[in-house]
Amino acid sequence: MKSTLLEIEQRFDADVERFSNLETGQQTTLDAAFNMELITTSIARMYPQPIRVLDIGCGAGNYMVKLLQKKKSIDITLVDLSQPMLDRALARVGAVNAGTTDALKGDFRTIDLKEGAYDVIVTTAVLHHLRDDADWTDSFGRLYRLLKPGGSLWVFDLIQQHTAALQDYIYKDLYGTYLTGLKDEAYRDAVFAYIEKEDSPRSLVYQLDLLRSVGFSTVDILHKNLCFASYVGMK
């Protein structure tokens, strides 16, 4: 039985500090700081004009703080399940943003968001919480509808492999070694346990195909390292 939204919310409520480090990002994700820089620099280069950004699962606001180092004024909407995360993100982002900064608590699949309103959507370490194929399809469809024509979706997330042997090697062995190196084997096992309890990741190929099926005209891979990848879809 997978975690409920409330259980996920409560875990993140108690973990704000771990998500507030701009230098490292979330350390349990591979190449977190690299992807933060990669995605935010790419957005800044693609959109020199004023933009409206939706950050889904914003956590403590790292991505928007990093983006604002490159673009000083952005109209930003922060969304997260966790109120403590939102509070931290709003304080950090609002302190450096010359544009507007709004925050909404809730699930992006159901909260009131205006369709066709955003130039850019950023969602990092969020989509692996989706469940069955219908949930994935409905969610990607909503992300597409929220974007303006010419808008883009930027994702960095946990992924899985199609074949069991590769999944065992890449995830259990190689990623497991990385987690052990962060602390110890008990820490590795704790991370594996909450991933098993909370998450339902899909392969990178699955997600790219799904982007196209819901209407995205261009899809591009930005980076992949073992069981983490970043990509962009253009409307």
Side-chain angles (χ1 to χ4, degrees), residues 3-19 26 28-29 80-85 125-126 128-129 158 187 190-199:
S3 298
T4 65
L5 278 180
L6 179 59
E7 289 171 331
I8 294 172
E9 175 185 338
Q10 289 170 339
R11 186 174 74 79
F12 284 106
D13 283 351
D15 212 9
V16 175
E17 293 305 321
R18 186 164 66 91
F19 290 85
Q26 184 181 348
T28 53
T29 62
D80 205 276
L81 288 175
S82 167
Q83 190 62 54
M85 287 286 192
V126 172
H128 62 264
H129 293 304
L158 174 71
Y187 178 76
V191 173
F192 279 166
Y194 77 66
I195 289 174
E196 179 65 26
K197 176 67 173 170
E198 287 187 5
D199 305 336

Side-chain angles (χ1 to χ4, degrees), residues 140 203-214 216 219-222 230-233:
F140 273 48
S203 74
L204 179 57
V205 173
Y206 175 97
Q207 295 180 56
L208 299 179
D209 286 346
L210 187 54
L211 286 177
R212 296 186 184 94
S213 74
V214 302
F216 284 90
V219 176
D220 213 346
I221 298 169
L222 301 172
S230 58
Y231 59 83
V232 59

Side-chain angles (χ1 to χ4, degrees), residues 38-232:
L38 174 65
I39 287 173
T40 57
T41 299
S42 298
I43 292 169
R45 290 193 178 196
M46 284 187 59
Y47 297 93
Q49 74 276 21
I51 56 173
R52 187 175 182 189
V53 177
L54 175 64
D55 187 356
I56 294 173
C58 64
N62 281 344
Y63 270 76
M64 293 302 101
V65 172
K66 181 67 75 170
L67 181 58
L68 285 161
Q69 293 176 354
K70 303 164 179 66
K71 292 177 66 69
K72 301 300 183 184
S73 179
I74 307 170
D75 291 335
I76 294 173
T77 300
L78 304 166
V79 174
D80 205 276
L81 288 175
S82 167
Q83 190 62 54
M85 287 286 192
L86 270 180
D87 292 343
R88 178 64 63 86
L90 191 58
R92 295 174 73 211
V93 174
V96 294
N97 189 12
T100 63
T101 307
D102 300 312
L104 294 171
K105 181 184 182 302
D107 183 344
F108 82 92
R109 296 170 295 184
T110 56
I111 61 174
D112 186 18
L113 294 166
K114 185 178 179 181
E115 294 189 354
Y118 302 96
D119 300 287
V120 168
I121 297 175
V122 175
T123 180
T124 61
V126 172
L127 298 179
H128 62 264
H129 293 304
L130 299 175
R131 296 303 183 221
D132 59 20
D133 289 341
D135 192 17
W136 278 85
T137 300
D138 291 346
S139 297
F140 273 48
R142 182 160 210 227
L143 293 169
Y144 178 82
R145 294 190 300 273
L146 290 170
L147 286 168
K148 297 177 182 179
S152 53
L153 169 68
W154 303 78
V155 177
F156 171 52
D157 217 325
L158 174 71
I159 60 170
Q160 66 176 17
Q161 301 300 133
H162 277 297
T163 61
L166 282 177
Q167 178 69 4
D168 283 347
Y169 175 51
I170 289 173
Y171 176 72
K172 292 183 179 178
D173 294 351
L174 297 181
Y175 180 50
T177 298
Y178 169 79
L179 292 174
T180 301
L182 286 179
K183 194 172 181 181
D184 53 31
E185 291 183 352
Y187 178 76
R188 175 203 63 195
D189 294 344
V191 173
F192 279 166
Y194 77 66
I195 289 174
E196 179 65 26
K197 176 67 173 170
E198 287 187 5
D199 305 336
S200 305
R202 294 293 192 271
S203 74
L204 179 57
V205 173
Y206 175 97
Q207 295 180 56
L208 299 179
D209 286 346
L210 187 54
L211 286 177
R212 296 186 184 94
S213 74
V214 302
F216 284 90
S217 60
T218 303
V219 176
D220 213 346
I221 298 169
L222 301 172
H223 182 70
K224 181 181 183 296
N225 185 357
L226 302 182
C227 53
F228 288 88
S230 58
Y231 59 83
V232 59

Side-chain angles (χ1 to χ4, degrees), residues 30-42:
L30 293 168
D31 298 335
F34 174 83
N35 278 281
M36 197 187 314
E37 183 66 27
L38 174 65
I39 287 173
T40 57
T41 299
S42 298

